[in-house]
Amino acid sequence: MTKKIAILPGDGIGPEIAEQAARVLGALGLDLEMKTAPVGGAAYDQHGHPLPPSTLKLAQESDAILFGAVGDWKYDSLERALRPEQAILGLRKALGLFANFRPAILYPQLANASSLKPEIVSGLDILIVRELTGDIYFGQPRGVREVADGPFKGERQGFDTMHYAESEVRRIAHVAFQAAAKRKGRLCSVDKANVLETSQFWRDIMIDVAKEYPNVELSHMYVDNAAMQLVRDPKAFDVVVTGNLFGDILSDEAAMLTGSIGMLPSASLNASNQGLYEPSHGSAPDIAGQDKANPLAMILSTAMMLRYSLDLPEQALRIEAAVQKVLEQGLRTPDIHEAGSELVGTTQMGGAVLKALA
Ligand code: NAD
């Protein structure tokens, strides 16, 4: 059956890297229908909104969405609802994308790209599962109010609300336990249960769900300690599950363990495995249009798409093996370039992956 893929290139380097990813997908010989639509600043320029109804409709009708990146400084003065980044939040909400998968893998060929010692990071392969639709980022009430009493009486006060409903914690717990069961069978739940009620509740639910996964070993860690352990001994982790706020920070920290953000894919899934696949980096306006962007995170995002939304794991492995091969050949975009390797541009890197596939 034909699988429908929506390609939303976005802004900055988005179109350049999405083009390479589409070439790679097209070369697999699969029955795919790929349609492209504008998103982010590009969509604002064309339709006056970062997520126009036509783009949202295409995304909703697709099995998976390949998303480049959005954002540019030139949109910074727009009202918040019209800024490019709102497109991502809109898609997450409309499609119910609650589970964010961020793998951090250090390819042996790039061990020197990390700022940590090679022996600490070489062979690193961790997966951060972040809850994406709840927590303090969306909790109500929020805003700025006048303090009614106490030491700050009469002053203005900014406030947000952290909360998680039981069903929200249960569904992300199941996703994380299932991911851990397919890997090394170790799941670390990160929270701040020593201080936050929401975190204690989160921990209690994790312990309850663990009863359904006897083959997965569950551990707990406070977020401050997790931030330390990720740089002290990152290979001790297999799968990490955490809430929206902590996951936002820890997934970026884990990304940097690998040295280049240009290598890291990500996936955001809903309950029916429909997913949005995007590189972990942004639109990099500083290098846009210069054939300098590393397309590998975007290409590896298509591998995640084949694995999680299209149920074609062997095709995902084909792409991952092709990426390994070009790294072994010594090809490097500027972000991962080092003495002795061959400097290539975006298009040449995409072409090399295509060749390695064949
Ligand atoms: P960024 O990730 O775009 O760039 C950070 C640095 O990494 C830059 O020096 C950039 O050149 C480099 N970089 C990023 N991707 C690269 C790649 N594939 N190859 C080589 N180098 C790469 O983050 P930023 O500069 O903080 O943000 C730029 C814009 O992107 C902003 O408008 C921001 O809002 C947006 N943004 C979008 C997303 C998204 O679309 N999901 C995520 C983060 C930031």
Side-chain angles (χ1 to χ4, degrees):
M1 205 174 79
T2 308
K3 298 282 187 188
K4 293 183 179 173
I5 315 293
I7 302 186
L8 312 184
D11 308 318
I13 60 170
E16 303 164 51
I17 56 174
E19 186 187 335
Q20 301 312 316
R23 279 172 86 194
V24 169
L25 260 187
L28 296 174
L30 303 171
D31 187 8
L32 303 178
E33 181 188 294
M34 295 193 252
K35 285 192 181 161
T36 301
V39 75
Y44 174 78
D45 290 340
Q46 284 179 43
H47 300 280
H49 195 279
L51 184 60
S54 52
T55 298
L56 180 59
K57 185 164 179 280
L58 180 71
Q60 283 169 323
E61 289 170 355
S62 303
D63 295 295
I65 300 146
L66 204 52
F67 187 98
V70 292
D72 191 293
W73 302 300
K74 72 177 181 187
Y75 303 107
D76 281 357
S77 56
L78 286 177
E79 62 173 280
R80 190 172 294 280
L82 295 178
R83 293 207 197 142
E85 294 75 11
Q86 293 300 315
I88 307 175
L89 299 179
L91 282 166
R92 281 181 193 163
K93 199 168 171 202
L95 301 177
L97 305 172
F98 69 90
N100 183 226
F101 282 37
R102 290 264 298 255
I105 296 174
L106 189 76
Y107 293 89
Q109 301 89 343
L110 300 181
N112 289 328
S114 174
S115 50
L116 296 189
K117 295 188 193 105
E119 63 267 28
I120 293 188
V121 286
S122 187
L124 179 78
D125 179 1
I126 60 184
L127 174 66
I128 304 219
V129 179
R130 166 189 170 196
E131 200 290 328
L132 212 51
T133 52
D135 207 349
I136 195 163
Y137 287 3
F138 298 98
Q140 294 290 347
R142 59 193 289 155
V144 178
R145 62 189 168 195
E146 192 182 304
V147 183
D149 49 34
F152 303 110
K153 186 169 187 264
E155 273 188 48
R156 288 195 309 144
Q157 178 190 57
F159 69 105
D160 296 275
T161 307
M162 177 180 266
H163 54 60
Y164 262 121
E166 182 169 348
S167 60
E168 289 180 292
V169 185
R170 281 192 186 276
R171 67 181 183 177
I172 194 74
H174 282 289
V175 165
F177 274 102
Q178 283 160 20
K182 286 188 199 149
R183 292 172 46 105
K184 294 181 200 132
R186 283 185 287 119
L187 178 64
C188 178
S189 170
V190 171
D191 61 38
K192 189 69 185 166
N194 49 343
V195 180
L196 299 171
E197 298 296 335
T198 313
S199 278
Q200 185 58 56
F201 180 70
W202 169 284
R203 189 178 280 217
D204 294 345
I205 303 291
M206 286 289 157
I207 291 169
D208 195 41
V209 174
K211 292 176 196 149
E212 296 176 48
Y213 298 91
N215 297 329
V216 176
E217 180 195 316
L218 173 68
S219 62
H220 306 274
M221 198 178 277
Y222 297 135
V223 62
D224 42 345
N225 188 22
M228 281 200 297
Q229 298 307 325
L230 268 176
V231 285
R232 196 186 72 88
D233 185 16
K235 284 191 273 186
F237 293 99
D238 178 18
V239 180
V240 171
V241 63
T242 188
N244 205 346
L245 170 65
F246 302 150
D248 192 0
I249 300 163
L250 294 182
S251 57
D252 268 14
E253 186 187 356
M256 278 327 291
L257 298 174
T258 70
S260 175
I261 193 119
M263 294 297 302
L264 297 168
S266 80
S268 304
L269 299 168
N270 67 17
S272 46
N273 286 338
Q274 187 188 25
L276 183 144
Y277 298 84
E278 58 174 333
S280 296
H281 57 73
S283 55
D286 53 330
I287 56 166
Q290 300 170 41
D291 197 40
K292 283 184 182 164
N294 185 344
L296 295 179
M298 184 93 234
I299 290 171
L300 290 166
S301 299
T302 65
M304 289 188 87
M305 180 172 91
L306 290 161
R307 181 172 289 121
Y308 294 113
S309 284
L310 306 187
D311 201 22
L312 294 167
E314 59 298 334
Q315 299 291 345
L317 286 172
R318 264 183 84 192
I319 292 183
E320 286 158 356
V323 168
Q324 283 267 14
K325 199 166 165 190
V326 298
L327 293 176
E328 270 158 32
Q329 289 163 352
L331 304 187
R332 304 281 188 273
T333 42
D335 56 310
I336 49 174
H337 184 246
E338 56 181 347
S341 63
E342 184 187 341
L343 185 63
V344 296
T346 311
T347 315
Q348 207 182 334
M349 187 58 115
V353 175
L354 272 184
K355 206 167 152 205
L357 267 180

